[in-house]
Structure formats: structure tokens, C-alpha cells
Amino acid sequence: MGAIGSDIAIEASDIALASDDIKNIPYLLYLSKKTMKTIKLNVTFSLALNFLAIILAMTGILNPVVGALVHNLGSVFVILNSAKLLKTRNNLALNCKTESLFTNESKGALIV
């Protein structure tokens, strides 16, 4: 869309491209799948850790101070795990792999 998109269209869309280059769409799909996988892992880890901490607290093994520390360490893990997504870049190798799936370089035709 770039600069030619109307404000209403940008607000109504789920994804708005900042540039007019649509070659980034495979990268965006890759990044969205990786983001969803990270979200699911973070939620699963957080729920499992909290469930385990509740069980240990009910049995008396975990006192409230240690329970608070465990909860905070779990939150730090979730943040650090999510921060790994910042390292994800639009690599040229990734573009070459996905481009070769959709086009035939020798003929320049779309493979169906």
C-alpha cells in the first residue's frame, strides 16, 4: 500500500505494507507463523509454571516469597522468549527459498 493507501483502508486492514514492494509477503507469513508459535509456547509455559507453583504452595513446599520469585522469573522468561522475535530479519536466503517455490526462474512463469 505504501503512501497511496487511504487511512480508512489502512485502519480496516489486518496487515498494512509500509512500502509498495509485495515481495515481503512471504516473510510476513513466516514472521506471523513464528509469532503465533511463540505466543502459544509462552502461554503454555506460563500456565504450566503457575499450575506447578500452586500445587507446590498447597503442599507447603513453596512459601509466598519464593512463589512470587518463581512467578516473576516466569514472566522474565516469557519476555526474553518473545524478544527472540526481534532477531528475525528478512533474510535474502529466506526470500530466495520462498521465491523459488512460487516462480520458475528459467521461464519466469508462475508454477501452479
Side-chain angles (χ1 to χ4, degrees), residues 48-94:
L49 181 68
N50 286 333
F51 181 73
L52 180 67
I54 289 170
I55 298 298
L56 291 175
M58 285 186 339
T59 60
I61 298 172
L62 197 65
N63 63 20
V65 174
V66 177
L69 290 174
V70 167
H71 179 73
N72 288 335
L73 287 176
S75 298
V76 169
F77 171 79
V78 166
I79 291 169
L80 292 176
N81 192 31
S82 299
K84 289 191 318 184
L85 288 172
L86 295 173
K87 290 185 178 182
T88 305
R89 297 284 185 238
N90 191 356
N91 296 337
L92 183 60
L94 175 64

Side-chain angles (χ1 to χ4, degrees), residues 2-112:
I4 61 172
S6 68
D7 292 336
I8 295 172
I10 291 173
E11 290 295 323
S13 66
D14 291 330
I15 296 176
L17 297 176
S19 67
D20 294 330
D21 187 17
I22 62 171
K23 289 182 182 178
N24 290 331
I25 291 177
Y27 167 70
L28 291 174
L29 291 173
Y30 166 76
L31 183 62
S32 66
K33 287 179 184 177
K34 191 169 182 178
T35 301
M36 289 305 298
K37 189 183 298 185
T38 302
I39 289 170
K40 289 175 183 176
L41 177 70
N42 287 342
V43 168
T44 303
F45 173 77
S46 179
L47 287 174
L49 181 68
N50 286 333
F51 181 73
L52 180 67
I54 289 170
I55 298 298
L56 291 175
M58 285 186 339
T59 60
I61 298 172
L62 197 65
N63 63 20
V65 174
V66 177
L69 290 174
V70 167
H71 179 73
N72 288 335
L73 287 176
S75 298
V76 169
F77 171 79
V78 166
I79 291 169
L80 292 176
N81 192 31
S82 299
K84 289 191 318 184
L85 288 172
L86 295 173
K87 290 185 178 182
T88 305
R89 297 284 185 238
N90 191 356
N91 296 337
L92 183 60
L94 175 64
N95 283 340
C96 292
K97 285 182 201 174
T98 54
E99 249 182 80
S100 64
L101 292 175
F102 297 116
T103 60
N104 183 356
E105 276 99 37
S106 63
K107 297 180 183 175
L110 183 65
I111 298 174
V112 181

